[in-house]
Amino acid sequence: MQENMNLYTSMKNLSWIFYLSIFVLIATMSILKYLNLHSTVFDMGIYINNFYMISEGYWERLFLSHIQPLGIFWSLLYTILPPDTVPIFILIGQAALLTLPIIGLYQHYGLTPTIAFILYFPLWYNGLFDFHIDHLAVPFLFGFLMMEKKGAIGLSVLFGFLLALVKEIFAIQAIFCGIYLLLIKKHRIGGIILTVGSSIYFFISWVYLNNYFNPEIVINNHMSVGEYAWLGNSFLNIFLTILTKPHWVLGEIFTDTERLKYLLYLFGALGFIPLLRPSILLITTPILAISILSEDPKHYGFTHHYSAGLLTPIIIAFAEGLPKAKELWGHAKLKKKWFQPILYTGLLSCHILLSPSPIGRKFYNLKTWNYHFSIYVPSDRNRMIKTAIKTHISPDSNKVVSVQNSIN
Protein backbone atom coordinates (compact mmCIF):
# COMPACT_ATOMS: atom_id res chain seq x y z
CA MET A 1 0.00 0.00 0.00
CA GLN A 2 2.88 2.31 0.82
CA GLU A 3 4.34 1.59 -2.64
CA ASN A 4 1.05 2.61 -4.25
CA MET A 5 0.99 5.84 -2.26
CA ASN A 6 4.56 6.62 -3.28
CA LEU A 7 3.72 5.91 -6.93
CA TYR A 8 0.67 8.19 -6.79
CA THR A 9 2.71 10.98 -5.17
CA SER A 10 5.44 10.58 -7.78
CA MET A 11 2.90 10.75 -10.64
CA LYS A 12 1.23 13.79 -9.10
CA ASN A 13 4.56 15.58 -8.71
CA LEU A 14 5.59 14.77 -12.27
CA SER A 15 2.28 16.02 -13.64
CA TRP A 16 2.84 19.35 -11.90
CA ILE A 17 6.38 19.55 -13.26
CA PHE A 18 5.06 19.04 -16.80
CA TYR A 19 2.29 21.58 -16.24
CA LEU A 20 4.43 24.32 -14.72
CA SER A 21 7.15 23.91 -17.34
CA ILE A 22 4.83 24.29 -20.34
CA PHE A 23 2.66 26.95 -18.66
CA VAL A 24 5.67 29.13 -17.82
CA LEU A 25 7.14 28.69 -21.30
CA ILE A 26 3.93 29.65 -23.15
CA ALA A 27 3.18 32.50 -20.74
CA THR A 28 6.71 33.90 -21.08
CA MET A 29 6.65 33.72 -24.88
CA SER A 30 3.22 35.37 -25.16
CA ILE A 31 4.23 38.17 -22.75
CA LEU A 32 7.48 38.82 -24.63
CA LYS A 33 5.52 38.94 -27.88
CA TYR A 34 3.19 41.54 -26.37
CA LEU A 35 5.96 43.65 -24.80
CA ASN A 36 7.90 43.65 -28.08
CA LEU A 37 4.87 45.05 -29.95
CA HIS A 38 4.04 41.94 -31.93
CA SER A 39 0.49 41.47 -30.68
CA THR A 40 -2.27 42.82 -32.91
CA VAL A 41 -5.43 44.88 -32.74
CA PHE A 42 -7.39 41.84 -33.96
CA ASP A 43 -7.93 40.34 -31.55
CA MET A 44 -5.87 41.17 -28.48
CA GLY A 45 -6.31 44.93 -28.80
CA ILE A 46 -10.07 44.47 -29.11
CA TYR A 47 -10.22 42.27 -26.01
CA ILE A 48 -8.07 44.60 -23.90
CA ASN A 49 -10.22 47.56 -24.89
CA ASN A 50 -13.45 45.66 -24.20
CA PHE A 51 -12.31 44.45 -20.78
CA TYR A 52 -11.26 47.95 -19.79
CA MET A 53 -14.56 49.45 -20.95
CA ILE A 54 -16.52 46.75 -19.12
CA SER A 55 -14.64 47.61 -15.92
CA GLU A 56 -15.73 51.22 -16.45
CA GLY A 57 -19.39 50.18 -16.54
CA TYR A 58 -19.94 49.64 -20.27
CA TRP A 59 -21.25 46.10 -19.71
CA GLU A 60 -22.79 45.94 -23.20
CA ARG A 61 -19.26 45.24 -24.45
CA LEU A 62 -19.87 41.67 -23.27
CA PHE A 63 -22.26 41.25 -26.18
CA LEU A 64 -20.56 43.12 -29.01
CA SER A 65 -19.71 40.97 -32.05
CA HIS A 66 -20.01 37.82 -29.91
CA ILE A 67 -21.98 36.90 -26.80
CA GLN A 68 -19.18 36.38 -24.25
CA PRO A 69 -20.53 36.90 -20.70
CA LEU A 70 -17.48 35.29 -19.08
CA GLY A 71 -15.47 38.31 -20.19
CA ILE A 72 -16.72 39.97 -17.01
CA PHE A 73 -14.18 37.97 -14.99
CA TRP A 74 -11.24 39.15 -17.11
CA SER A 75 -12.49 42.74 -16.82
CA LEU A 76 -12.27 42.54 -13.01
CA LEU A 77 -8.48 42.63 -13.33
CA TYR A 78 -8.78 46.31 -14.25
CA THR A 79 -10.40 47.00 -10.88
CA ILE A 80 -7.58 45.46 -8.83
CA LEU A 81 -4.40 45.92 -10.91
CA PRO A 82 -2.57 48.85 -12.54
CA PRO A 83 -4.00 49.12 -16.10
CA ASP A 84 -0.60 48.69 -17.79
CA THR A 85 -0.11 45.29 -16.14
CA VAL A 86 -3.52 43.81 -16.98
CA PRO A 87 -2.62 42.53 -20.49
CA ILE A 88 0.31 40.65 -18.97
CA PHE A 89 -1.88 38.97 -16.37
CA ILE A 90 -4.49 38.17 -19.02
CA LEU A 91 -1.85 36.33 -21.04
CA ILE A 92 -0.61 34.53 -17.93
CA GLY A 93 -4.17 33.44 -17.14
CA GLN A 94 -4.74 32.21 -20.69
CA ALA A 95 -1.54 30.13 -20.60
CA ALA A 96 -2.42 28.71 -17.17
CA LEU A 97 -5.89 27.59 -18.27
CA LEU A 98 -4.81 26.26 -21.68
CA THR A 99 -2.18 23.99 -20.15
CA LEU A 100 -4.25 22.93 -17.12
CA PRO A 101 -5.38 19.61 -18.70
CA ILE A 102 -1.76 18.41 -18.50
CA ILE A 103 -2.26 17.56 -14.80
CA GLY A 104 -5.42 15.52 -15.36
CA LEU A 105 -4.13 13.84 -18.50
CA TYR A 106 -1.02 12.55 -16.77
CA GLN A 107 -2.88 11.34 -13.68
CA HIS A 108 -5.73 9.64 -15.59
CA TYR A 109 -4.16 8.55 -18.87
CA GLY A 110 -0.41 8.46 -18.28
CA LEU A 111 2.65 9.77 -20.06
CA THR A 112 1.87 9.24 -23.75
CA PRO A 113 -1.38 11.32 -23.94
CA THR A 114 0.32 14.01 -21.85
CA ILE A 115 3.24 14.22 -24.26
CA ALA A 116 0.79 14.20 -27.18
CA PHE A 117 -1.09 17.16 -25.67
CA ILE A 118 2.14 19.08 -25.04
CA LEU A 119 3.35 18.48 -28.60
CA TYR A 120 -0.03 19.03 -30.31
CA PHE A 121 0.24 22.17 -32.45
CA PRO A 122 -3.21 23.71 -31.62
CA LEU A 123 -2.09 24.16 -28.00
CA TRP A 124 0.78 26.40 -29.10
CA TYR A 125 -1.19 28.51 -31.56
CA ASN A 126 -3.96 29.08 -29.03
CA GLY A 127 -1.32 30.10 -26.48
CA LEU A 128 0.81 32.33 -28.72
CA PHE A 129 -1.71 33.86 -31.15
CA ASP A 130 -2.51 36.85 -28.92
CA PHE A 131 -5.50 36.49 -26.56
CA HIS A 132 -8.86 34.92 -27.38
CA ILE A 133 -11.58 34.01 -24.92
CA ASP A 134 -11.95 30.74 -26.86
CA HIS A 135 -9.14 29.32 -24.68
CA LEU A 136 -11.71 28.72 -21.91
CA ALA A 137 -13.17 25.90 -24.02
CA VAL A 138 -10.06 23.79 -23.39
CA PRO A 139 -10.33 23.40 -19.57
CA PHE A 140 -14.15 23.40 -19.64
CA LEU A 141 -14.27 20.52 -22.14
CA PHE A 142 -11.65 18.66 -20.16
CA GLY A 143 -13.71 19.13 -16.99
CA PHE A 144 -16.83 17.96 -18.83
CA LEU A 145 -15.19 14.74 -20.09
CA MET A 146 -13.30 13.97 -16.87
CA MET A 147 -16.32 14.47 -14.62
CA GLU A 148 -18.37 12.18 -16.84
CA LYS A 149 -15.59 9.59 -16.68
CA LYS A 150 -15.65 9.78 -12.87
CA GLY A 151 -19.44 9.48 -12.78
CA ALA A 152 -19.92 13.02 -11.43
CA ILE A 153 -22.64 13.85 -13.97
CA GLY A 154 -23.83 16.96 -12.18
CA LEU A 155 -20.37 18.51 -12.41
CA SER A 156 -20.06 17.33 -16.00
CA VAL A 157 -23.28 19.17 -16.88
CA LEU A 158 -22.00 22.25 -15.03
CA PHE A 159 -18.84 22.30 -17.15
CA GLY A 160 -21.05 21.92 -20.22
CA PHE A 161 -23.04 25.02 -19.26
CA LEU A 162 -19.81 26.95 -18.61
CA LEU A 163 -18.70 25.98 -22.10
CA ALA A 164 -21.92 27.44 -23.53
CA LEU A 165 -21.13 30.80 -21.91
CA VAL A 166 -17.78 31.16 -23.69
CA LYS A 167 -19.24 32.16 -27.08
CA GLU A 168 -22.23 31.27 -29.29
CA ILE A 169 -20.39 28.55 -31.19
CA PHE A 170 -19.53 26.86 -27.91
CA ALA A 171 -23.20 26.93 -26.94
CA ILE A 172 -23.78 24.73 -30.00
CA GLN A 173 -20.91 22.51 -28.86
CA ALA A 174 -22.50 22.31 -25.40
CA ILE A 175 -25.65 21.01 -27.09
CA PHE A 176 -23.55 18.25 -28.66
CA CYS A 177 -22.02 17.57 -25.23
CA GLY A 178 -25.56 17.00 -23.98
CA ILE A 179 -26.28 14.68 -26.92
CA TYR A 180 -23.05 12.83 -26.08
CA LEU A 181 -24.22 12.31 -22.48
CA LEU A 182 -27.69 11.28 -23.63
CA LEU A 183 -26.98 8.95 -26.55
CA ILE A 184 -23.42 7.73 -26.06
CA LYS A 185 -23.07 7.60 -22.28
CA LYS A 186 -26.77 6.95 -21.51
CA HIS A 187 -26.96 9.64 -18.83
CA ARG A 188 -30.49 10.56 -19.78
CA ILE A 189 -31.33 13.18 -17.17
CA GLY A 190 -27.99 14.98 -17.37
CA GLY A 191 -27.98 14.74 -21.15
CA ILE A 192 -31.48 16.16 -21.51
CA ILE A 193 -30.78 19.00 -19.05
CA LEU A 194 -27.58 20.02 -20.86
CA THR A 195 -29.05 19.65 -24.36
CA VAL A 196 -32.26 21.55 -23.63
CA GLY A 197 -30.60 24.17 -21.42
CA SER A 198 -27.85 24.89 -23.95
CA SER A 199 -30.38 25.02 -26.78
CA ILE A 200 -32.48 27.60 -24.93
CA TYR A 201 -29.39 29.65 -24.10
CA PHE A 202 -28.18 29.52 -27.71
CA PHE A 203 -31.59 30.59 -29.02
CA ILE A 204 -31.75 33.53 -26.60
CA SER A 205 -28.15 34.63 -27.21
CA TRP A 206 -28.18 34.22 -30.98
CA VAL A 207 -31.67 35.44 -31.83
CA TYR A 208 -32.28 38.09 -29.17
CA LEU A 209 -28.98 39.28 -27.69
CA ASN A 210 -27.14 39.28 -31.02
CA ASN A 211 -30.06 40.98 -32.72
CA TYR A 212 -30.21 43.69 -30.04
CA PHE A 213 -26.50 44.40 -29.56
CA ASN A 214 -25.32 43.69 -33.11
CA PRO A 215 -28.11 44.87 -35.43
CA GLU A 216 -25.67 45.07 -38.35
CA ILE A 217 -25.69 41.26 -38.65
CA VAL A 218 -29.44 41.35 -39.42
CA ILE A 219 -30.27 42.18 -43.05
CA ASN A 220 -33.91 42.43 -44.17
CA ASN A 221 -35.01 40.73 -40.95
CA HIS A 222 -32.66 37.78 -41.63
CA MET A 223 -29.41 36.89 -39.89
CA SER A 224 -26.46 37.39 -42.24
CA VAL A 225 -24.93 34.06 -43.29
CA GLY A 226 -21.57 35.69 -44.05
CA GLU A 227 -18.89 33.19 -45.05
CA TYR A 228 -21.46 30.41 -45.59
CA ALA A 229 -23.39 32.05 -48.45
CA TRP A 230 -22.10 29.43 -50.91
CA LEU A 231 -24.41 26.95 -49.18
CA GLY A 232 -27.52 29.14 -49.19
CA ASN A 233 -28.90 32.59 -48.46
CA SER A 234 -30.30 31.69 -45.02
CA PHE A 235 -29.41 29.32 -42.21
CA LEU A 236 -32.44 27.18 -43.11
CA ASN A 237 -31.27 26.91 -46.72
CA ILE A 238 -27.74 26.09 -45.56
CA PHE A 239 -29.09 23.30 -43.37
CA LEU A 240 -31.21 21.95 -46.24
CA THR A 241 -28.23 22.05 -48.61
CA ILE A 242 -26.12 20.02 -46.20
CA LEU A 243 -28.98 17.60 -45.59
CA THR A 244 -30.00 17.08 -49.23
CA LYS A 245 -26.63 17.46 -51.01
CA PRO A 246 -24.07 15.92 -48.64
CA HIS A 247 -22.01 14.42 -51.48
CA TRP A 248 -21.66 17.80 -53.18
CA VAL A 249 -20.72 19.52 -49.91
CA LEU A 250 -18.15 16.84 -49.03
CA GLY A 251 -16.80 17.01 -52.57
CA GLU A 252 -16.22 20.75 -52.19
CA ILE A 253 -14.46 20.20 -48.87
CA PHE A 254 -12.22 17.31 -49.89
CA THR A 255 -11.19 18.91 -53.18
CA ASP A 256 -10.06 22.07 -51.42
CA THR A 257 -6.37 21.75 -50.59
CA GLU A 258 -6.39 24.01 -47.53
CA ARG A 259 -9.48 22.45 -45.96
CA LEU A 260 -8.11 18.97 -46.55
CA LYS A 261 -4.74 20.02 -45.13
CA TYR A 262 -6.48 21.30 -41.98
CA LEU A 263 -8.18 17.95 -41.39
CA LEU A 264 -5.02 15.97 -42.16
CA TYR A 265 -2.98 18.09 -39.76
CA LEU A 266 -5.56 17.88 -36.95
CA PHE A 267 -5.74 14.09 -36.98
CA GLY A 268 -2.49 13.15 -38.69
CA ALA A 269 -0.41 14.96 -36.06
CA LEU A 270 -1.73 12.32 -33.63
CA GLY A 271 -1.29 9.39 -36.00
CA PHE A 272 -5.06 9.37 -36.78
CA ILE A 273 -5.51 7.50 -33.47
CA PRO A 274 -8.40 9.79 -32.35
CA LEU A 275 -10.48 8.35 -35.22
CA LEU A 276 -10.53 5.05 -33.31
CA ARG A 277 -12.86 6.68 -30.76
CA PRO A 278 -15.44 8.40 -32.99
CA SER A 279 -18.01 8.66 -30.19
CA ILE A 280 -15.89 11.28 -28.40
CA LEU A 281 -15.35 13.13 -31.68
CA LEU A 282 -19.13 13.72 -31.81
CA ILE A 283 -18.39 16.70 -29.54
CA THR A 284 -16.18 18.27 -32.21
CA THR A 285 -18.90 18.21 -34.89
CA PRO A 286 -20.11 21.85 -34.71
CA ILE A 287 -16.60 23.31 -34.42
CA LEU A 288 -15.29 21.27 -37.35
CA ALA A 289 -18.37 22.00 -39.45
CA ILE A 290 -18.28 25.75 -38.87
CA SER A 291 -14.55 25.83 -39.65
CA ILE A 292 -14.41 23.77 -42.83
CA LEU A 293 -17.72 25.01 -44.27
CA SER A 294 -16.61 28.63 -44.03
CA GLU A 295 -15.28 30.51 -47.06
CA ASP A 296 -12.92 32.43 -44.79
CA PRO A 297 -9.50 30.67 -44.96
CA LYS A 298 -8.72 31.80 -41.39
CA HIS A 299 -11.44 29.51 -40.06
CA TYR A 300 -9.67 26.41 -41.35
CA GLY A 301 -6.17 27.81 -41.03
CA PHE A 302 -4.23 25.64 -38.58
CA THR A 303 -2.30 28.64 -37.22
CA HIS A 304 -5.39 30.32 -35.79
CA HIS A 305 -7.41 29.96 -32.58
CA TYR A 306 -10.48 28.29 -34.08
CA SER A 307 -9.18 24.89 -32.97
CA ALA A 308 -9.77 25.64 -29.26
CA GLY A 309 -12.98 23.58 -29.16
CA LEU A 310 -11.26 20.66 -30.90
CA LEU A 311 -8.13 20.37 -28.77
CA THR A 312 -9.50 18.58 -25.70
CA PRO A 313 -11.93 16.10 -27.35
CA ILE A 314 -9.33 15.08 -29.95
CA ILE A 315 -6.67 14.51 -27.26
CA ILE A 316 -9.08 12.50 -25.09
CA ALA A 317 -10.06 10.45 -28.16
CA PHE A 318 -6.35 9.87 -28.74
CA ALA A 319 -5.84 8.77 -25.12
CA GLU A 320 -8.77 6.35 -25.22
CA GLY A 321 -7.92 5.15 -28.72
CA LEU A 322 -4.36 4.14 -27.79
CA PRO A 323 -5.26 0.60 -26.60
CA LYS A 324 -7.08 -0.07 -29.88
CA ALA A 325 -4.13 1.36 -31.84
CA LYS A 326 -1.75 -1.01 -30.05
CA GLU A 327 -4.11 -3.90 -30.76
CA LEU A 328 -4.23 -3.05 -34.47
CA TRP A 329 -0.45 -2.75 -34.46
CA GLY A 330 -0.27 -6.31 -33.14
CA HIS A 331 -2.77 -7.60 -35.70
CA ALA A 332 -0.54 -6.15 -38.42
CA LYS A 333 2.24 -8.48 -37.19
CA LEU A 334 4.47 -5.52 -36.28
CA LYS A 335 6.85 -5.75 -33.35
CA LYS A 336 5.19 -4.37 -30.22
CA LYS A 337 8.43 -2.87 -28.94
CA TRP A 338 8.48 -0.48 -31.93
CA PHE A 339 5.01 0.99 -31.30
CA GLN A 340 6.02 3.56 -28.67
CA PRO A 341 9.26 4.74 -30.37
CA ILE A 342 7.53 5.20 -33.72
CA LEU A 343 4.58 6.96 -32.11
CA TYR A 344 6.81 9.37 -30.20
CA THR A 345 8.89 9.99 -33.31
CA GLY A 346 5.73 10.85 -35.24
CA LEU A 347 4.41 13.15 -32.51
CA LEU A 348 7.72 14.99 -32.28
CA SER A 349 8.17 15.23 -36.07
CA CYS A 350 4.70 16.74 -36.55
CA HIS A 351 5.37 19.18 -33.71
CA ILE A 352 8.63 20.32 -35.31
CA LEU A 353 6.96 20.73 -38.72
CA LEU A 354 3.78 22.50 -37.58
CA SER A 355 4.27 24.13 -34.19
CA PRO A 356 5.64 27.62 -33.33
CA SER A 357 7.35 26.34 -30.15
CA PRO A 358 11.10 26.78 -29.50
CA ILE A 359 11.75 23.38 -31.09
CA GLY A 360 9.38 23.99 -34.01
CA ARG A 361 10.52 24.78 -37.53
CA LYS A 362 8.55 28.04 -37.59
CA PHE A 363 10.52 29.37 -34.63
CA TYR A 364 13.61 29.50 -36.84
CA ASN A 365 12.03 30.27 -40.22
CA LEU A 366 12.14 34.01 -40.94
CA LYS A 367 9.30 33.65 -43.46
CA THR A 368 6.92 32.94 -40.56
CA TRP A 369 7.82 36.30 -39.01
CA ASN A 370 4.94 36.36 -36.53
CA TYR A 371 6.36 33.28 -34.76
CA HIS A 372 10.06 33.74 -35.51
CA PHE A 373 12.33 33.87 -32.43
CA SER A 374 13.23 37.50 -33.23
CA ILE A 375 9.78 38.73 -32.17
CA TYR A 376 10.49 37.70 -28.59
CA VAL A 377 13.71 39.72 -28.41
CA PRO A 378 13.94 43.54 -27.91
CA SER A 379 15.03 45.28 -31.11
CA ASP A 380 15.63 48.69 -32.65
CA ARG A 381 12.23 48.38 -34.32
CA ASN A 382 10.52 48.08 -30.92
CA ARG A 383 12.46 50.99 -29.41
CA MET A 384 11.70 53.22 -32.43
CA ILE A 385 7.95 52.53 -32.23
CA LYS A 386 7.81 53.07 -28.46
CA THR A 387 9.69 56.36 -28.82
CA ALA A 388 7.31 57.47 -31.57
CA ILE A 389 4.32 56.62 -29.38
CA LYS A 390 5.64 58.66 -26.47
CA THR A 391 6.53 61.54 -28.77
CA HIS A 392 3.45 61.81 -30.96
CA ILE A 393 0.54 60.37 -28.95
CA SER A 394 -0.88 62.59 -26.25
CA PRO A 395 -1.38 61.13 -22.75
CA ASP A 396 -4.70 63.00 -22.65
CA SER A 397 -7.36 60.25 -22.60
CA ASN A 398 -9.95 62.69 -23.99
CA LYS A 399 -8.14 62.92 -27.33
CA VAL A 400 -8.99 60.46 -30.09
CA VAL A 401 -6.12 58.64 -31.80
CA SER A 402 -6.44 56.96 -35.22
CA VAL A 403 -3.84 54.30 -36.03
CA GLN A 404 -3.66 52.84 -39.55
CA ASN A 405 -1.84 49.68 -38.55
CA SER A 406 -2.61 46.24 -37.15
CA ILE A 407 -0.18 46.67 -34.26
CA ASN A 408 -1.70 46.55 -30.78
Side-chain angles (χ1 to χ4, degrees):
M1 185 173 181
Q2 184 62 38
E3 288 181 1
N4 290 337
M5 287 295 294
N6 291 339
L7 180 62
Y8 174 77
T9 303
S10 177
M11 287 181 62
K12 190 174 181 180
N13 291 340
L14 195 54
S15 68
W16 276 94
I17 291 171
F18 277 125
Y19 168 66
L20 291 173
S21 299
I22 303 303
F23 152 53
V24 170
L25 179 58
I26 291 178
T28 301
M29 291 175 71
S30 62
I31 291 168
L32 288 174
K33 189 175 182 180
Y34 167 74
L35 293 177
N36 286 310
L37 304 179
H38 280 280
S39 65
T40 57
V41 171
F42 294 99
D43 293 321
M44 187 166 178
I46 299 296
Y47 275 109
I48 291 173
N49 181 253
N50 279 345
F51 294 154
Y52 173 75
M53 295 301 288
I54 292 166
S55 73
E56 292 290 304
Y58 296 91
W59 57 268
E60 66 273 12
R61 291 292 188 103
L62 292 168
F63 308 110
L64 292 185
S65 183
H66 292 289
I67 310 303
Q68 303 171 111
L70 295 179
I72 188 71
F73 295 104
W74 288 115
S75 72
L76 293 176
L77 292 176
Y78 275 104
T79 66
I80 58 177
L81 295 171
D84 289 348
T85 67
V86 171
I88 293 172
F89 281 93
I90 284 174
L91 291 171
I92 291 173
Q94 175 175 255
L97 291 168
L98 271 173
T99 53
L100 192 58
I102 288 174
I103 300 171
L105 276 170
Y106 190 84
Q107 294 177 5
H108 291 285
Y109 292 106
L111 181 63
T112 300
T114 306
I115 296 298
F117 179 79
I118 291 171
L119 294 178
Y120 198 30
F121 68 88
L123 171 66
W124 293 86
Y125 287 112
N126 277 277
L128 298 178
F129 180 37
D130 284 357
F131 174 92
H132 296 90
I133 206 163
D134 303 51
H135 73 275
L136 292 173
V138 175
F140 289 162
L141 279 164
F142 189 80
F144 167 78
L145 289 165
M146 283 299 97
M147 289 304 103
E148 187 285 321
K149 186 176 178 66
K150 290 182 177 181
I153 306 306
L155 288 175
S156 181
V157 170
L158 175 61
F159 275 111
F161 280 128
L162 289 173
L163 175 68
L165 297 177
V166 176
K167 195 189 285 187
E168 308 95 282
I169 176 56
F170 296 113
I172 301 177
Q173 190 172 28
I175 294 171
F176 275 76
C177 287
I179 295 171
Y180 173 78
L181 286 181
L182 179 63
L183 299 182
I184 306 299
K185 294 299 181 177
K186 308 302 180 184
H187 300 299
R188 290 179 175 80
I189 295 177
I192 291 172
I193 290 173
L194 183 55
T195 303
V196 174
S198 298
S199 298
I200 293 171
Y201 172 75
F202 174 73
F203 181 79
I204 292 171
S205 63
W206 183 247
V207 175
Y208 290 101
L209 295 179
N210 243 334
N211 189 11
Y212 182 80
F213 290 102
N214 304 285
E216 69 279 1
I217 69 170
V218 180
I219 302 173
N220 297 326
N221 295 320
H222 293 286
M223 301 290 278
S224 172
V225 296
E227 297 83 4
Y228 305 92
W230 68 283
L231 292 166
N233 57 9
S234 69
F235 285 107
L236 177 60
N237 286 340
I238 289 172
F239 177 75
L240 290 174
T241 299
I242 295 171
L243 194 65
T244 59
K245 301 178 180 178
H247 298 297
W248 176 72
V249 174
L250 290 173
E252 292 294 314
I253 292 171
F254 287 104
T255 54
D256 183 281
T257 305
E258 294 304 312
R259 287 187 174 97
L260 187 59
K261 187 190 297 183
Y262 182 59
L263 293 172
L264 288 173
Y265 287 173
L266 279 174
F267 296 102
L270 297 170
F272 299 101
I273 292 174
L275 298 177
L276 298 176
R277 288 304 307 269
S279 60
I280 297 174
L281 297 180
L282 170 69
I283 297 170
T284 68
T285 303
I287 306 296
L288 270 179
I290 286 175
S291 292
I292 62 176
L293 291 176
S294 172
E295 286 190 303
D296 187 345
K298 293 194 297 293
H299 289 157
Y300 47 84
F302 72 97
T303 63
H304 293 274
H305 62 285
Y306 299 105
S307 57
L310 305 174
L311 179 52
T312 298
I314 289 179
I315 285 293
I316 297 296
F318 170 85
E320 299 199 0
L322 269 177
K324 183 67 174 178
K326 292 177 181 177
E327 183 182 327
L328 292 173
W329 183 271
H331 289 328
K333 307 298 182 183
L334 298 170
K335 291 184 178 180
K336 291 184 179 180
K337 67 178 182 179
W338 287 110
F339 179 81
Q340 289 290 102
I342 290 176
L343 177 60
Y344 279 115
T345 300
L347 293 173
L348 182 60
S349 298
C350 289
H351 178 84
I352 292 171
L353 289 171
L354 301 174
S355 179
S357 83
I359 63 170
R361 176 177 58 91
K362 293 194 171 190
F363 193 73
Y364 301 97
N365 187 349
L366 193 56
K367 291 181 180 179
T368 55
W369 66 270
N370 50 337
Y371 293 107
H372 187 255
F373 69 82
S374 60
I375 71 170
Y376 305 105
V377 181
S379 66
D380 290 338
R381 172 255 189 198
N382 303 338
R383 286 186 284 271
M384 180 185 70
I385 294 175
K386 288 180 179 180
T387 299
I389 289 172
K390 292 177 182 178
T391 304
H392 300 292
I393 297 181
S394 170
D396 185 354
S397 61
N398 293 314
K399 291 186 177 180
V400 175
V401 178
S402 176
V403 181
Q404 303 302 317
N405 195 291
S406 65
I407 191 172
N408 174 29

